[in-house]
Amino acid sequence: QVQLQESGPGLVKPSQTLSLTCTVSGDSINSAHYYWNWIRQPAGKGLEWVGRTHTSGSTYNPSLKSRVTISVDTSKNQFSLKLNSVTAADTAVYYCASLGTFSIWGQGTMVTVSS
Amino acid sequence: QTVVTQEPSLTVSPGGTVTLTCASSTGAVTNAYYPNWFQQKPGQAPRALIYSTSNKYSWTPARFSGSLLGGKAALTLSGVQPEDEADYYCLLYYGGAQGVFGGGTKVTVL
């Protein structure tokens, strides 16, 4: 059974880089079955798709594209999110997830942007 | 900027039927948008219900069904149960790769 677990700092200062990691257990991150996504949700608001990566490449939310990178570390079976130049508007619960045919979600991790 | 629109809220009686819709600002939603539907209860991570318009997961209750309806993606709940009270989100893919979530529909069972 495939499971996902997010990890990373819960507090990031404005203008710095938010870095999160999602550890995949139960299958290879290289499997073409999976599209690995990052999704976020500000408190009391809806879901926002941040981006995804797959063996065929990565795509990003156009509103975040200039600040976001999603990459894969096959040696650790992890994929990661980096979001540059953060502001308070980036404060949210961040989820890693596989979507589509194989849908698996992490439990989410709260990230607060504050000095 | 692409906008995906859902009803903000809907109320349904126990045992009743309710249909949630998901519209795209770019025009009619088709299977090429691979509509996905998710359920989220307070304090929980979202749970997928439907992928690629109408495909269910092993855990999706039979009373949930997905379809295309009048140029929109639709999620129908038939024989609604109290535990179906939740927020529901649709997700559409543009160009097959770029996802956009709808704003969500709060379903109240009353």
Side-chain angles (χ1 to χ4, degrees), chain B:
Chain B
Q1 182 179 351
T2 303
V3 177
V4 176
T5 301
Q6 299 181 242
E7 298 85 0
S9 63
L10 292 169
T11 299
V12 59
S13 300
T17 297
V18 64
T19 297
L20 290 64
T21 66
C22 176
S24 172
S25 62
T26 60
V29 176
T30 67
N31 290 325
Y33 288 80
Y34 302 98
N36 283 241
W37 290 93
F38 303 88
Q39 178 192 65
Q40 187 179 34
K41 296 182 178 180
Q44 297 182 14
R47 179 178 74 146
L49 295 173
I50 300 288
Y51 68 97
S52 296
T53 305
S54 58
N55 294 281
K56 299 181 184 182
Y57 297 94
S58 60
W59 56 81
T60 304
R63 62 185 179 274
F64 290 86
S65 63
S67 64
L68 296 177
L69 194 64
K72 301 177 184 180
L75 176 70
T76 299
L77 287 65
S78 304
V80 170
Q81 302 296 308
E83 61 265 30
D84 297 334
E85 185 162 293
D87 294 327
Y88 292 83
Y89 295 92
C90 67
L91 172 67
L92 301 180
Y93 286 99
Y94 293 80
Q98 178 190 316
V100 181
F101 279 100
T105 296
K106 182 177 182 62
V107 171
T108 300
V109 181
L110 200 58

Side-chain angles (χ1 to χ4, degrees), chain A residues 28-101:
Chain A
S28 169
I29 198 167
N30 274 334
S31 171
H33 292 315
Y34 303 105
Y35 291 82
W36 305 113
N37 294 256
W38 286 99
I39 294 151
R40 68 182 185 178
Q41 185 172 36
K45 296 188 178 181
L47 301 171
E48 181 179 27
W49 185 81
V50 173
R52 77 177 188 186
T53 190
H54 181 255
T55 52
S56 60
S58 299
T59 54
Y60 303 114
N61 185 324
S63 69
L64 301 172
K65 189 174 182 178
S66 63
R67 299 194 291 131
V68 65
T69 303
I70 297 174
S71 58
V72 174
D73 186 336
T74 55
S75 67
K76 296 181 179 178
N77 225 40
Q78 296 174 334
F79 64 104
S80 63
L81 169 69
K82 290 190 186 300
L83 183 64
N84 302 324
S85 305
V86 297
T87 69
D90 296 308
T91 294
V93 175
Y94 284 76
Y95 296 100
C96 62
S98 168
L99 302 180
T101 308

Side-chain angles (χ1 to χ4, degrees), chain A residues 20-32:
Chain A
L20 296 175
T21 296
C22 184
T23 300
V24 180
S25 59
D27 204 347
S28 169
I29 198 167
N30 274 334
S31 171

